[in-house]
Amino acid sequence: MALPWRSRKSGKKTKPEKSVSRTEISIPMHFLCPISLELMKDPVTASTGITYDRQSIETWLELGNTTCPVTNRAMENEELIPNHSIQKVIQDWCVANRSLGVERIPTPKIPMTGSQVADMMSEISAATRRGDHARCVQLVAKVKNLARESERNRRCFALNGTNGVLAATFNAFAGGSSESPAAEILEEALEALATLLPLGEEAASRIGSPESLNRLVSILQHGSLAARLNAALVMKELLASNGAGADVIAGTKGLVEALVKLVEEPISPQAAKASLVAIFYMINRDERTASRVVDLGLVPVLIEVLVGPEKSMCEKALAVLDVLLGCGSGREKAYGHALTMPVLAKKMFRVSDMATELVVSALWKLCRDDEEGGEGRGRCLQEALQVGAFQKLLLLLQVGCGEATKERATNLLKLLNGCRGRQECVDTMDFKGLGRPF
C-alpha cells in the first residue's frame, strides 16, 4: 500500500497536503454597491431612492452622467444623503463575522456641503473685520483640516470661494509686525491657501497686493520651514496666474533674493522646485530680472543641481538655465564653470523629451556665433566635442525631435564639424562620485 505522501508514478516523496477548511462568506446583496459590486463603506442615497457607495456614485457623476445607473432615470439633483440605517446594519454584520476575517468598516465622516462652507466663510469674514485674531486662527485651521480630510471636501471649499476669503484675511492682517498676534493667522491662512491651490482670480488679486507681497517676502526670509514652503508654493501659483504681470511682482523688494536663496539652500525638494518655477515666470519675459538672478550667482547652482538624477528638478533647473543663458552675463557664468558642457551633454537623453529640447537650446546659446562669445564660446565648442555632443546630436536627428530643436541641432552640428579633427571625442564624464552643494 502506497503511503499517502508518496507519488505512485515516481515513488518520490512529496510534501504532505494540508487539509484546510474554508468557510465561504456570503455578503448580502443589499450590502453591495450596484456600481462597484463591493461592500459599501459609505452608503448614500441618490434622488432616485437607490443607495450606492459614495465614492462610486460621485465618480459616476464627475464623469458627466446625469442618470441613475440602476433605474436609468434622470437624477433631479446631485445631492447624496447618507444612509445611516444601512451603514449601521453593515457595521453590525462586519462585527458578527469578525472571526471569519471581516474587518469592521469605520463610520465615515460626513463631507462638507456648499451651505456649510458658505457659513464658515461668513464667520471668517466677520472675524477678520473685527480683528479677532484668535477666532480667525480657529476657523482657518478648521478649514485646513477639513480640506485635508478628503478630496471631496477640498473641492467643495475650492468651488465655494474659500480662497478669496482666505486671501482677504491674509491681506487684512499683512500690515502687522512679524511679532504681532497676526503672525499666527497669516501662517495658518497661507497653509490653507497652499492646501486649496490653485488660487483663483480673486485670491490672486488680493495676494498680489503690495502689503501681501511684502509679507510673503518676509515669510520666505524669516518664517518657519513649513511657512516658507507654503509661501513658495503660493508665490509660484501667483506668478503663474499673473502672466505679463510677473515682472511687476518681481519688483517686490527682496523677493528675487529670497527665492534664489531657497534654491541655493533648499529647505526641501518641494520648496526648491516651487522656487525654480517662480523664478522662471519672473525671468521669462524680463531680461533685467534675469540679469539680477545671474548676479545673485544662480547659474553655477543650477549646473550643480543638474548633476543630480531627479527628473522633475532637472527639468525645472534646465528651464531656468536656458532663460538665463539668453543674456550675456549668464553665458559668461556658464563659460566659467567646468561642468557646464559635461552636464548638458549627459542630460541630453537621460531625463525627458522636454529636457532634451532645453539642453539643445542651452547648447545653441552657448555655442552660436556671436560677438559676445569670444574665448568662452571657443572653449565650449571644444568641450562639446570632447564629451560626445556631436554624436549625440546626430542621434537626436535620427530619432526625431521638434522643428525648432531640429534646426538648432543642425546648426550646432555645423559649428562642431568645423572644430572636428582638432579634438578627440571621449565618453561623457561619470558624475556618480561627484558631491553636490545640498
Side-chain angles (χ1 to χ4, degrees), residues 77-384:
N77 54 66
E78 295 186 1
E79 184 178 2
L80 303 172
I81 302 172
N83 191 328
H84 297 297
S85 299
I86 192 66
Q87 176 70 41
K88 181 65 169 60
V89 175
I90 290 174
Q91 288 179 329
D92 292 342
W93 178 86
C94 290
V95 171
N97 289 276
R98 184 180 299 171
S99 61
L100 300 177
V102 179
E103 296 182 1
R104 183 181 182 276
I105 296 174
T107 302
K109 295 180 179 179
I110 299 175
M112 296 292 294
T113 63
S115 59
Q116 289 175 318
V117 171
D119 291 342
M120 288 184 69
M121 295 306 103
S122 297
E123 284 192 68
I124 293 174
S125 297
T128 300
R129 288 192 296 270
R130 296 194 306 270
D132 189 342
H133 301 99
R135 184 57 177 160
C136 281
V137 169
Q138 182 183 14
L139 289 169
V140 173
K142 185 177 180 181
V143 169
K144 176 189 68 181
N145 294 330
L146 286 170
R148 288 175 174 173
E149 275 187 6
S150 66
E151 178 61 23
R152 187 182 190 280
N153 279 359
R154 200 195 73 81
R155 287 199 307 270
C156 188
F157 278 115
L159 292 172
N160 285 278
T162 301
N163 279 349
V165 175
L166 292 173
T169 298
F170 185 93
N171 187 56
F173 294 110
S177 68
S178 58
E179 303 298 328
S180 68
E184 186 179 2
I185 179 58
L186 289 170
E187 291 201 3
E188 284 288 348
L190 201 57
E191 189 171 0
L193 283 168
T195 302
L196 296 169
L197 294 176
L199 289 173
E201 187 175 344
E202 181 184 357
S205 174
R206 294 183 182 278
I207 291 294
S209 69
E211 296 83 7
S212 293
L213 286 173
N214 289 329
R215 179 46 67 99
L216 278 173
V217 171
S218 177
I219 293 172
L220 284 169
Q221 293 171 333
H222 310 295
S224 64
L225 294 182
R228 291 168 71 190
L229 169 61
N230 292 326
L233 292 170
V234 170
M235 184 60 68
K236 178 194 75 171
E237 290 295 327
L238 177 62
L239 287 162
S241 64
N242 266 272
D247 57 336
V248 177
I249 296 173
T252 305
K253 184 178 179 181
L255 175 58
V256 174
E257 291 80 1
L259 292 172
V260 169
K261 187 175 181 180
L262 280 180
V263 179
E264 293 177 337
E265 304 171 13
I267 57 175
S268 72
Q270 189 179 11
K273 291 176 186 177
S275 299
L276 282 171
V277 175
I279 291 169
F280 174 81
Y281 283 120
M282 287 193 296
I283 66 176
N284 196 35
R285 293 187 179 92
D286 187 3
E287 190 171 344
R288 289 178 301 174
T289 304
S291 296
R292 285 176 58 197
V293 171
V294 170
D295 293 339
L296 290 169
L298 190 60
V299 170
V301 174
L302 293 174
I303 294 170
E304 298 289 345
V305 168
L306 290 173
V307 173
E310 212 276 311
K311 173 183 173 181
S312 178
M313 185 75 82
C314 284
E315 288 178 339
K316 292 171 176 58
L318 281 168
V320 175
L321 180 62
D322 181 50
V323 177
L324 295 181
L325 292 179
C327 57
S329 57
R331 290 193 293 276
E332 285 301 321
K333 294 289 185 182
Y335 291 147
H337 200 294
L339 291 179
T340 300
M341 277 299 162
V343 168
L344 289 175
K346 190 175 180 71
K347 295 297 179 181
M348 191 179 296
F349 284 117
R350 298 197 176 193
V351 182
S352 65
D353 291 342
M354 179 194 298
T356 298
E357 293 180 0
L358 290 169
V359 166
V360 173
S361 177
L363 288 172
W364 168 240
K365 289 174 182 177
L366 289 169
C367 296
R368 66 186 175 185
D369 190 7
D370 59 23
E371 296 179 357
E372 297 180 2
E375 294 181 3
R377 172 182 169 273
R379 286 197 305 271
C380 271
L381 287 169
Q382 295 169 10
E383 290 174 8

